Amino acid sequence: MPELFQEMYYGPNVQNLVESDDCKVMRLSDNSGEGMMTLYHVFPGVFLMYNDFHMKECVSGFQTDMDLLCIDHCREGRIEQEVGQNAFSYLEAGDLRVDRRIHHSGKVEFPLSHYHGISIGFQMETAAKEIPASMKGFSVDLYELQKKYCSDRTPYVIPGEPAIEHIFSELYNVPVKIKKDYFRIKVLELLLYLDALELSGHTEERPYFYKGQVEKIKAIQALLTQDLTKNYTLEELSARFDIALTPMKNCFKSVYGSPVFTYMRNYRMNYAASLLKSDKSLKVAEIAGLVGYDSPSKFASAFHQTMGKTPLEYRKSII
């Protein structure tokens, strides 16, 4: 097992399920849920890892003093990242992040309680030698690439580029027979793309939010979701949690990916869908009341808009 694999993840809540020279499968679990990480050795000093988390946070214990270059692609969900001095930013679906894991504390939070994506990591000292040795004539200098994207200490985010989506979309469904060779090709393709990319116009300044703001937003989300029969105005939430209205709206959207009322409508409809599935003795009108709707017809309309089916159609579709 390469040294980089040995150091990648550890901790009392991390269980190794499968381990070989080229692959390591790990499961993380705690009271908030479960996460699976499947890590492949691509080149010496280079790994590719599939991340599949259904939990609020991941505490792996991973910290390192290695010189790393790490590339993360978010396919679904959101990931909260610390950018130093108790400030946080958010990676969303379609985003690519390049960083050195300087600020990694061993803890990662998922505001939507799920996250799916791919991480590709380079142990610089080894990878910078071994990639050119394995691929004669390959022109990308990893140290120059690290300098290009990691000139300061904050992660570099490239939002929703079609070329990046093309590169990564093909990695989410790779036949077993060709995995190892295909991973090598795609890693080289990604490095060539990042090397050629002109940075102007391909990055987006994401707002940073400080710990106190983020904590208040998470407290607001907890209040809103603990009793779905209650409704609050934005003004009530702003006053109750002592946070100005505009920063509250901006921060909530950054943390959870949508405005407060959009988030809550989706949350209510997903909860209603789980009730339609799990308890067929409940009538639609009863479920409407449980998720805060006095009018079954308004609930049915909102459910159809969100889920693409009426509540009855949804229940009948469940086998």
Side-chain angles (χ1 to χ4, degrees):
M1 179 63 63
E3 179 187 358
L4 184 57
F5 275 38
Q6 297 287 1
E7 191 170 333
M8 276 308 301
Y9 287 91
Y10 59 89
N13 63 336
V14 181
Q15 178 185 6
N16 285 348
L17 300 181
V18 176
E19 188 168 336
S20 67
D21 288 342
D22 292 321
C23 180
K24 185 174 184 177
V25 181
M26 295 160 285
R27 178 169 61 203
L28 289 84
S29 58
D30 61 22
N31 293 334
S32 75
E34 184 176 275
M36 298 290 292
M37 299 178 296
T38 305
L39 189 151
Y40 293 92
H41 176 222
V42 182
F43 293 102
V46 182
F47 71 86
L48 184 149
M49 183 165 66
Y50 292 92
N51 303 296
D52 186 5
F53 294 100
H54 294 274
M55 55 201 312
K56 290 184 177 180
E57 63 183 27
C58 159
V59 181
S60 69
F62 167 66
Q63 289 178 294
T64 184
D65 57 3
M66 286 184 179
D67 185 10
L68 297 176
L69 177 68
C70 294
I71 300 168
D72 301 292
H73 179 258
C74 174
R75 189 185 193 189
E76 295 178 15
R78 301 178 77 74
I79 188 168
E80 182 177 286
Q81 55 185 335
E82 187 171 355
V83 292
Q85 301 298 319
N86 285 321
F88 299 88
S89 187
Y90 295 86
L91 195 72
E92 60 188 48
D95 286 353
L96 185 82
R97 175 180 65 186
V98 186
D99 78 341
R100 298 176 60 194
R101 292 298 193 266
I102 290 173
H103 295 295
H104 200 292
S105 65
K107 179 180 178 181
V108 177
E109 297 207 18
F110 310 109
L112 300 180
S113 295
H114 77 277
Y115 175 78
H116 307 284
I118 289 175
S119 297
I120 299 171
F122 304 84
Q123 183 188 357
M124 294 297 290
E125 184 178 0
T126 303
K129 297 174 184 176
E130 295 292 340
I131 292 177
S134 300
M135 305 298 297
K136 299 294 184 184
F138 188 66
S139 61
V140 177
D141 184 322
L142 272 184
Y143 282 105
E144 288 298 317
L145 204 64
Q146 186 189 57
K147 189 185 301 182
K148 177 179 179 180
Y149 289 95
C150 307
S151 57
D152 60 20
R153 296 175 64 87
T154 59
Y156 192 96
V157 175
I158 304 171
E161 281 291 312
I164 290 173
E165 184 60 28
H166 169 73
I167 292 170
F168 279 91
S169 65
E170 296 176 341
L171 279 168
Y172 289 104
N173 188 25
V174 182
V176 175
K177 285 184 179 180
I178 65 169
K179 271 187 187 294
K180 188 170 182 179
D181 290 335
Y182 196 74
F183 288 160
R184 290 187 170 198
I185 291 169
K186 298 304 284 187
V187 166
L188 297 177
E189 181 184 5
L190 179 62
L191 291 177
L192 285 167
Y193 172 80
L194 292 174
D195 185 56
L197 183 66
E198 295 290 339
L199 298 188
S200 58
H202 289 277
T203 185
E204 180 179 302
E205 281 295 324
R206 294 289 170 85
Y208 296 155
F209 298 96
Y210 289 97
K211 186 176 181 180
Q213 291 176 297
V214 172
E215 287 176 344
K216 289 181 179 181
I217 293 304
K218 290 180 178 179
I220 288 171
Q221 188 269 353
L223 174 70
L224 292 171
T225 56
Q226 73 182 8
D227 185 351
L228 298 182
T229 65
K230 293 184 178 179
N231 291 282
Y232 300 89
T233 67
L234 295 178
E235 289 74 17
E236 286 172 333
L237 295 171
S238 173
R240 181 166 180 162
F241 290 90
D242 190 27
I243 180 171
L245 189 60
T246 297
M248 182 190 76
K249 291 191 291 185
N250 292 339
C251 189
F252 192 99
K253 186 175 180 181
S254 286
V255 174
Y256 293 104
S258 56
V260 176
F261 293 135
T262 303
Y263 174 86
M264 284 307 301
R265 183 178 67 176
N266 291 335
Y267 189 96
R268 284 184 163 95
M269 295 309 108
N270 281 297
Y271 182 66
S274 71
L275 292 177
L276 286 164
K277 181 178 180 180
S278 63
D279 191 347
K280 294 190 177 182
S281 67
L282 282 173
K283 296 179 180 178
V284 171
E286 293 175 302
I287 293 175
L290 290 172
V291 297
Y293 281 80
D294 295 329
S295 166
S297 62
K298 288 183 179 179
F299 163 70
S301 176
F303 190 92
H304 186 270
Q305 288 177 3
T306 304
M307 310 301 289
K309 297 178 180 180
T310 68
L312 288 176
E313 287 172 343
Y314 182 85
R315 175 170 273 173
K316 288 177 181 177
S317 70
I318 297 168
I319 299 173

